[in-house]
Amino acid sequence: MLSPASLGPREVLHVGSAGLRARPVRVVLSALGIAIGIATMIAVVGISASSKAQLLQKLDALGTNMLVATPGQGMFGEEVKLPKEAPGMVGRIDGVRQVGATGDLEVSVRRSEKIPVEETGGITVKAAGVGLLGTLRGAMASGTWLNDANGRYPSVVLGHVAAERLGISRPGQQVAVGGRYFTVVGILRPLPLAPEIERAALVGWTAAGELLGFDGHPTAIYERSTDASVHRVRDLVPHSVDPQNPRNVQVSDPSSALQAKAATEGTFTGLLLGLGGVALLVGGVGVANTMIISVLERRHEIGLRRSMGATRGQIRLQFVTESLLLSGLGGIAGIALGAAATYAFAAAGGMPWVVPLWAVAGGFGATLAIGTVAGLYPAVRAARLSPTLALQAV
């Protein structure tokens, strides 16, 4: 008995791509739906991953080992003050590497004395210790930080938000603080972990006491410890600052907000992926429609191949292969478009460009699955055509 010749991978690829080569415009239009769906999915995952990577980079740069101790509330709601020696007490805790402190002042800062005192612009005035900048891992946009020399005189360092609101662009200008003029010696860069410092005018600890009536009690103590001792230090800070009433001291972690944001990044990714999946499904319907039309148009070809010995299985394989190639081309184009969109978004926002490998592999796998499903019915229909009837229809 005669047996039909088998088709190797090369022959299968050749016959499967014949329909695509003959109708390039239809191929482009059919693959476009698949490309849009995959591009949407890749871009959604890539943008979310890039944004999360940027947050993690910020956390690595800023560190998650900083704690802030502030006064709590007394048992009867009375005002609580931290001891003047509190920064030194915190600095003696084992594992603490850096300590900085600020103290709130009941004075206002204005561009000039002619501006009403009530118009504060949301800017506060704080006494600042010399070690504050290092503890916050801050940097100067311009000028210098407070030190033991300029911290004794009427000099002030402005947070970048405070400088913008006061209209100060460079050191050397003066602002009115508590009824007298202070010289701006520096302007800080943004401090994501200390937004209260960004909106503050900072004066030296000594000058605050001698010129502005500061009582020396800190209202916020910032400390940096080793990563391994953060949790232990957090438990020890209240007892070290106020051994008799540790409940009067509140300890917070400023980096927790960024950590929570990084953890929740991509909350809406599932919804957007669903929209991309709908677009991909619509593209799959378009591929199925294209394949059905292709079967109807190529009945003579199918009948001729069947009459020359091609089996039904080989006809099915031909059209499933054609559907897979069509979907695969759309998937490759969609991956490229999604990666390009992610790159453009990341470059515009100063983010690292991240496209997860699992998203690329999953997206391309989805296109192959869609192509298989979309081509299965047309392939079965083509295989069931009678060679005699197919040749007579021409």
Side-chain angles (χ1 to χ4, degrees):
M1 295 180 61
L2 296 177
S3 59
S6 60
L7 297 179
R10 184 175 179 178
E11 289 78 12
V12 171
L13 186 62
H14 179 74
V15 297
S17 62
L20 304 184
R21 296 193 303 269
R23 300 167 180 84
V25 176
R26 183 185 296 176
V27 168
V28 172
L29 294 177
S30 300
L32 185 60
I34 296 287
I36 291 174
I38 293 298
T40 302
M41 299 174 72
I42 294 295
V44 165
V45 175
I47 290 172
S48 177
S50 298
S51 180
K52 185 173 182 178
Q54 184 186 42
L55 285 174
L56 293 177
Q57 281 186 352
K58 285 184 178 180
L59 279 173
D60 289 339
L62 299 172
T64 58
N65 57 349
M66 187 177 79
L67 300 174
V68 183
T70 55
Q73 274 193 337
M75 185 177 297
F76 302 102
E78 70 274 13
E79 181 182 359
V80 175
K81 288 188 176 182
L82 299 180
K84 296 180 180 180
E85 302 80 11
M89 296 175 181
V90 173
R92 287 192 289 270
I93 299 175
D94 184 31
V96 174
R97 294 291 179 263
Q98 293 174 299
V99 177
T102 61
D104 293 341
L105 300 175
E106 298 297 327
V107 296
S108 63
V109 55
R110 294 162 291 156
R111 187 65 180 85
S112 72
E113 291 183 341
K114 296 181 180 181
I115 298 176
V117 179
E118 295 79 12
E119 297 183 11
T120 63
I123 306 171
T124 59
V125 182
K126 297 177 181 290
V130 175
L132 180 65
L133 185 65
T135 304
L136 296 177
R137 292 185 181 175
M140 304 300 300
S142 58
T144 60
W145 175 246
L146 299 169
N147 53 47
D148 292 333
N150 59 26
R152 298 177 177 273
Y153 300 99
S155 55
V156 61
V157 171
L158 300 177
H160 85 284
V161 175
E164 291 176 358
R165 293 179 181 177
L166 290 171
I168 303 297
S169 58
R170 65 183 187 279
Q173 298 175 272
Q174 291 189 323
V175 292
V177 181
R180 64 179 300 167
Y181 281 98
F182 278 59
T183 301
V184 177
V185 296
I187 299 174
L188 292 170
R189 291 186 182 275
L191 295 168
L193 294 185
E196 67 280 3
I197 302 299
E198 295 179 337
R199 299 186 294 270
L202 307 171
V203 300
W205 204 269
T206 302
E210 296 178 353
L211 304 176
L212 301 174
F214 178 48
D215 60 6
H217 290 275
T219 52
I221 302 173
Y222 303 82
E223 68 82 25
R224 289 271 184 186
S225 56
T226 59
D227 293 334
S229 60
V230 172
H231 297 291
R232 181 177 58 82
V233 170
R234 182 169 190 154
D235 295 334
L236 292 176
V237 166
H239 296 277
S240 300
V241 172
D242 194 343
Q244 295 182 344
N245 298 291
R247 293 183 179 180
N248 291 345
V249 181
Q250 293 182 342
V251 181
S252 60
D253 179 5
S255 65
S256 59
L258 283 178
Q259 293 180 36
K261 187 175 181 181
T264 57
E265 188 66 38
T267 303
F268 298 102
T269 299
L271 175 61
L272 297 175
L273 281 176
L275 296 177
V278 171
L280 183 60
L281 182 61
V282 172
V285 173
V287 170
N289 185 51
T290 299
M291 294 304 302
I292 291 174
I293 295 175
S294 179
V295 169
L296 294 175
E297 291 179 346
R298 297 161 65 187
R299 296 181 67 181
H300 181 262
E301 174 192 336
I302 296 169
L304 185 61
R305 289 199 62 210
R306 288 296 311 278
S307 65
M308 295 181 65
T311 64
R312 290 185 176 182
Q314 290 174 346
I315 297 297
R316 285 195 296 267
L317 182 60
Q318 172 187 347
F319 282 93
V320 169
T321 301
E322 184 175 330
S323 177
L324 284 172
L325 289 174
L326 181 58
S327 300
L329 290 174
I332 293 173
I335 291 172
L337 289 174
T342 303
Y343 178 79
F345 181 85
M351 302 177 184
W353 178 44
V354 179
V355 177
L357 182 60
W358 64 264
V360 175
F364 191 71
T367 62
L368 297 182
I370 289 290
T372 302
V373 174
L376 194 57
Y377 171 72
V380 172
R381 183 172 178 175
R384 288 179 177 176
L385 285 176
S386 170
T388 305
L389 295 177
L391 290 173
Q392 289 178 350
V394 180

